[in-house]
Amino acid sequence: MASAAYYLGFDFSTQQLKAIAVNEQLQVVYEDNVHFDKDLPEFGTQGGVHVHSDKLRVTSPVLMWVKALDCILDRMKSSGFNISKVKALSGSGQSCFSVSDSPVWMDSSTSAECDHLEKSVGGPQVLANITGSRAYERFTGNQIAKIYKQKPKEYLETERISLVSSFAASLFIGDCAPIDYSDGSGMNLLDIHDKTWNEKCLNACAPHLKEKLGSVVPSCSVLGPVSTYYVQRYGFSHDCCVIAFTGDNPASLAGMRLEEGDIAVSLGTSDTLFLWIQQPTPALEGHIFINPVHSQDYMALLCFKNGSLMREKIRDECSSGSWEEFSKMLRSTPSGNSGHIGFYFDVMEITPQAVGVHRFDAESQKVSEFPEDVEIRALIEGQFMAKRIYAERLGYKIRPQTRILATGGASCNQDILQVLSDIFNAPVHTLSTTNSACLGCAYQAAHGLAMQSSPLSFTDVFGSAQSKLVVTPRAESAKIYQPLMNRYAECESALLQQSKNILRT
Ligand code: ADP
């Protein structure tokens, strides 16, 4: 049966522009992408970006995004997809902002500006309390501060500053689109409690910034109808609504259909945690954003660089490169690993900032090696204890109804998921969602439009996502892991103190 309506999502990611259309049952009915390097070679990007000679500055040409959008819509039209049935659309972009060459998330050329911003407000923790994160080089406030310092005249002549997301929304409405709460939370400028620009942060970055940023709106806001350009050129309906565009991480939370109290764990190249939080306690590690699906709540994001590649390294060293053997050894060792604890950071970790492999015995004494099976369990338990410790520091509370949703390459490994379930003392479900950011934008389009007629939650309107229950926590888990986690945290702070002392001498 032909569906009465479609909802469109666009994701301006680093390497490509993706588009997904869903019908009223939220089933995907159309999908395409434009690959910047391959499909738009005239911009000369590599991996969608230009890395400049100092290796710190990383930018993308803004015109490339505009052209990619025309290209993807041209293809959509010629594919026979009925664009006139699109009732609403939304999108997401990596968080940064647009000048002719826009700095992107990989840019790390603003450490002086970050120092200045943190000092101006009273330190990194104070900045995190206000904006949800300490200063980050890629965050827009610090990028703006750098441009103001280097090109004050151009800055002062700038009428409007957009994020990639609000810039893309501007194209669709044919006017300057406001920044949404969630992507705005990744700028080091927005007060996540008051949901207004913070004067101290603005002033520390550049003058007259408030006027240039415009207003901020909830992420499900209807911005207006698509402009006549899209109606005439591609056949959009006059009343197709544009819903605020947001950041790629908030869009992913929407795409995974997280619900109140849920936690999503993506076990990919790096491991990422998405948390739905009601009362956040911002910390120096991790980020708090205003929740894109329910703007009275929050989401937190934690990224661990040493994820799958670290697991693969230990698999190769201890179980002859076989995941099956790895799993078998994991099953053969007891929960709590008889008190053995390990930290495995092959590359400099971000949560926490530490590097190297560090092992502790049951008396918290450093040891140089573990038997292979102990090593495997120490790795997996260590990775998941760290995730729970850092999640709780950000205000996450495990409750009886807590669900863990696992995605990414390692989520096919039930023995790894069993450890995750035991440590969080919660059931683990798997999600098969791919392209969660782009899909999340299509969902936000449907949700934003539905909210116009009634302020219902996404789940109330569309139901829960289909996930598969894979494992439940074993009895006694809480009793074993609570004291082990306390010891893990103590060993970690001893490690961090030690590396600080080494840096000082
Ligand atoms: P990306 O972050 O690049 O999208 P994926 O989510 O596709 O990565 O995850 C890829 C990773 O999944 C591989 O690096 C591999 O280590 C891991 N993986 C694949 N199969 C298993 C398994 N059976 N057990 C544990 N990890 C696995």
mmCIF file of all heavy atoms in Angstrom, residues 267-270 308-309 311-312 315 323 408-410 412-413 416, ligand 1:
data_model
loop_
_atom_site.group_PDB
_atom_site.id
_atom_site.type_symbol
_atom_site.label_atom_id
_atom_site.label_comp_id
_atom_site.label_asym_id
_atom_site.label_seq_id
_atom_site.Cartn_x
_atom_site.Cartn_y
_atom_site.Cartn_z
ATOM 1 N N LEU A 267 30.228 -0.328 20.436
ATOM 2 C CA LEU A 267 31.533 -0.989 20.569
ATOM 3 C C LEU A 267 32.174 -1.108 19.196
ATOM 4 O O LEU A 267 32.135 -2.160 18.559
ATOM 5 C CB LEU A 267 31.348 -2.372 21.217
ATOM 6 C CG LEU A 267 30.717 -2.340 22.618
ATOM 7 C CD1 LEU A 267 30.322 -3.742 23.075
ATOM 8 C CD2 LEU A 267 31.662 -1.710 23.625
ATOM 9 N N GLY A 268 32.698 0.006 18.713
ATOM 10 C CA GLY A 268 33.308 0.035 17.384
ATOM 11 C C GLY A 268 34.806 0.234 17.511
ATOM 12 O O GLY A 268 35.407 -0.200 18.494
ATOM 13 N N THR A 269 35.379 0.911 16.515
ATOM 14 C CA THR A 269 36.814 1.178 16.553
ATOM 15 C C THR A 269 37.161 1.831 17.883
ATOM 16 O O THR A 269 38.074 1.429 18.586
ATOM 17 C CB THR A 269 37.192 2.112 15.381
ATOM 18 O OG1 THR A 269 36.739 1.483 14.196
ATOM 19 C CG2 THR A 269 38.676 2.338 15.312
ATOM 20 N N SER A 270 36.402 2.888 18.219
ATOM 21 C CA SER A 270 36.466 3.368 19.601
ATOM 22 C C SER A 270 35.122 3.027 20.231
ATOM 23 O O SER A 270 34.168 2.704 19.535
ATOM 24 C CB SER A 270 36.764 4.865 19.646
ATOM 25 O OG SER A 270 35.965 5.558 18.752
ATOM 26 N N SER A 308 37.813 -1.398 20.119
ATOM 27 C CA SER A 308 38.016 -2.675 19.410
ATOM 28 C C SER A 308 39.471 -2.969 19.050
ATOM 29 O O SER A 308 39.893 -4.122 19.064
ATOM 30 C CB SER A 308 37.163 -2.707 18.149
ATOM 31 O OG SER A 308 35.855 -3.105 18.481
ATOM 32 N N LEU A 309 40.233 -1.929 18.720
ATOM 33 C CA LEU A 309 41.609 -2.213 18.291
ATOM 34 C C LEU A 309 42.429 -2.760 19.456
ATOM 35 O O LEU A 309 43.265 -3.649 19.284
ATOM 36 C CB LEU A 309 42.251 -0.951 17.689
ATOM 37 C CG LEU A 309 41.529 -0.413 16.441
ATOM 38 C CD1 LEU A 309 42.261 0.787 15.864
ATOM 39 C CD2 LEU A 309 41.371 -1.497 15.374
ATOM 40 N N ARG A 311 41.078 -4.452 21.960
ATOM 41 C CA ARG A 311 40.586 -5.820 22.175
ATOM 42 C C ARG A 311 41.226 -6.778 21.171
ATOM 43 O O ARG A 311 41.607 -7.900 21.505
ATOM 44 C CB ARG A 311 39.051 -5.868 22.084
ATOM 45 C CG ARG A 311 38.356 -5.185 23.261
ATOM 46 C CD ARG A 311 36.850 -5.389 23.251
ATOM 47 N NE ARG A 311 36.147 -4.596 22.252
ATOM 48 C CZ ARG A 311 35.714 -3.348 22.429
ATOM 49 N NH1 ARG A 311 35.904 -2.739 23.583
ATOM 50 N NH2 ARG A 311 35.077 -2.705 21.472
ATOM 51 N N GLU A 312 41.365 -6.296 19.929
ATOM 52 C CA GLU A 312 42.000 -7.151 18.909
ATOM 53 C C GLU A 312 43.449 -7.449 19.267
ATOM 54 O O GLU A 312 43.941 -8.557 19.059
ATOM 55 C CB GLU A 312 41.968 -6.453 17.544
ATOM 56 C CG GLU A 312 40.646 -6.611 16.843
ATOM 57 C CD GLU A 312 40.586 -5.812 15.542
ATOM 58 O OE1 GLU A 312 41.639 -5.539 14.925
ATOM 59 O OE2 GLU A 312 39.462 -5.454 15.144
ATOM 60 N N ARG A 315 43.481 -10.025 21.874
ATOM 61 C CA ARG A 315 43.038 -11.285 21.249
ATOM 62 C C ARG A 315 44.220 -11.929 20.522
ATOM 63 O O ARG A 315 44.462 -13.125 20.636
ATOM 64 C CB ARG A 315 41.902 -10.982 20.252
ATOM 65 C CG ARG A 315 41.426 -12.181 19.469
ATOM 66 C CD ARG A 315 40.706 -11.766 18.198
ATOM 67 N NE ARG A 315 41.625 -11.050 17.285
ATOM 68 C CZ ARG A 315 41.276 -10.501 16.135
ATOM 69 N NH1 ARG A 315 40.006 -10.542 15.753
ATOM 70 N NH2 ARG A 315 42.147 -9.879 15.364
ATOM 71 N N TRP A 323 38.440 -14.887 18.001
ATOM 72 C CA TRP A 323 37.404 -14.390 18.921
ATOM 73 C C TRP A 323 36.758 -15.541 19.677
ATOM 74 O O TRP A 323 36.361 -15.405 20.818
ATOM 75 C CB TRP A 323 36.316 -13.601 18.177
ATOM 76 C CG TRP A 323 36.699 -12.213 17.760
ATOM 77 C CD1 TRP A 323 36.644 -11.694 16.503
ATOM 78 C CD2 TRP A 323 37.179 -11.151 18.594
ATOM 79 N NE1 TRP A 323 37.069 -10.387 16.502
ATOM 80 C CE2 TRP A 323 37.411 -10.028 17.771
ATOM 81 C CE3 TRP A 323 37.470 -11.042 19.956
ATOM 82 C CZ2 TRP A 323 37.886 -8.805 18.264
ATOM 83 C CZ3 TRP A 323 37.949 -9.826 20.454
ATOM 84 C CH2 TRP A 323 38.151 -8.730 19.612
ATOM 85 N N GLY A 408 27.480 -1.775 17.218
ATOM 86 C CA GLY A 408 28.878 -1.795 16.789
ATOM 87 C C GLY A 408 29.417 -3.217 16.676
ATOM 88 O O GLY A 408 28.784 -4.181 17.137
ATOM 89 N N GLY A 409 30.582 -3.320 16.076
ATOM 90 C CA GLY A 409 31.177 -4.599 15.721
ATOM 91 C C GLY A 409 31.228 -5.630 16.845
ATOM 92 O O GLY A 409 30.901 -6.802 16.636
ATOM 93 N N ALA A 410 31.643 -5.220 18.060
ATOM 94 C CA ALA A 410 31.826 -6.197 19.140
ATOM 95 C C ALA A 410 30.509 -6.594 19.799
ATOM 96 O O ALA A 410 30.491 -7.480 20.646
ATOM 97 C CB ALA A 410 32.801 -5.644 20.179
ATOM 98 N N CYS A 412 28.303 -8.299 18.638
ATOM 99 C CA CYS A 412 27.896 -9.654 18.240
ATOM 100 C C CYS A 412 28.480 -10.694 19.196
ATOM 101 O O CYS A 412 28.169 -11.867 19.121
ATOM 102 C CB CYS A 412 28.328 -9.946 16.805
ATOM 103 S SG CYS A 412 30.103 -10.056 16.630
ATOM 104 N N ASN A 413 29.347 -10.251 20.110
ATOM 105 C CA ASN A 413 30.017 -11.186 21.012
ATOM 106 C C ASN A 413 29.284 -11.267 22.358
ATOM 107 O O ASN A 413 29.388 -10.387 23.203
ATOM 108 C CB ASN A 413 31.465 -10.741 21.212
ATOM 109 C CG ASN A 413 32.267 -11.765 21.966
ATOM 110 O OD1 ASN A 413 31.789 -12.370 22.925
ATOM 111 N ND2 ASN A 413 33.495 -11.979 21.534
ATOM 112 N N ILE A 416 31.305 -11.034 25.676
ATOM 113 C CA ILE A 416 31.692 -9.661 26.027
ATOM 114 C C ILE A 416 30.465 -8.943 26.608
ATOM 115 O O ILE A 416 30.555 -8.257 27.631
ATOM 116 C CB ILE A 416 32.261 -8.924 24.782
ATOM 117 C CG1 ILE A 416 33.623 -9.514 24.406
ATOM 118 C CG2 ILE A 416 32.370 -7.429 25.032
ATOM 119 C CD1 ILE A 416 34.306 -8.864 23.220
HETATM 120 P P1 ADP B 1 33.574 1.203 13.199
HETATM 121 O O1 ADP B 1 33.691 1.969 14.480
HETATM 122 O O2 ADP B 1 34.813 1.339 12.358
HETATM 123 O O3 ADP B 1 32.284 1.393 12.477
HETATM 124 P P2 ADP B 1 32.527 -1.474 13.797
HETATM 125 O O4 ADP B 1 31.406 -1.039 14.657
HETATM 126 O O5 ADP B 1 32.217 -2.031 12.451
HETATM 127 O O6 ADP B 1 33.640 -0.344 13.667
HETATM 128 O O7 ADP B 1 33.367 -2.565 14.618
HETATM 129 C C1 ADP B 1 34.467 -3.198 14.074
HETATM 130 C C2 ADP B 1 35.174 -3.998 15.151
HETATM 131 O O8 ADP B 1 34.331 -5.049 15.626
HETATM 132 C C3 ADP B 1 36.421 -4.690 14.686
HETATM 133 O O9 ADP B 1 37.534 -3.843 14.876
HETATM 134 C C4 ADP B 1 36.479 -5.937 15.562
HETATM 135 O O10 ADP B 1 37.488 -5.798 16.532
HETATM 136 C C5 ADP B 1 35.145 -5.985 16.269
HETATM 137 N N1 ADP B 1 34.564 -7.335 16.216
HETATM 138 C C6 ADP B 1 34.080 -8.000 15.154
HETATM 139 N N2 ADP B 1 33.675 -9.242 15.510
HETATM 140 C C7 ADP B 1 33.892 -9.382 16.841
HETATM 141 C C8 ADP B 1 33.698 -10.417 17.813
HETATM 142 N N3 ADP B 1 33.182 -11.587 17.487
HETATM 143 N N4 ADP B 1 34.038 -10.169 19.089
HETATM 144 C C9 ADP B 1 34.553 -8.975 19.446
HETATM 145 N N5 ADP B 1 34.779 -7.969 18.576
HETATM 146 C C10 ADP B 1 34.459 -8.157 17.288
#
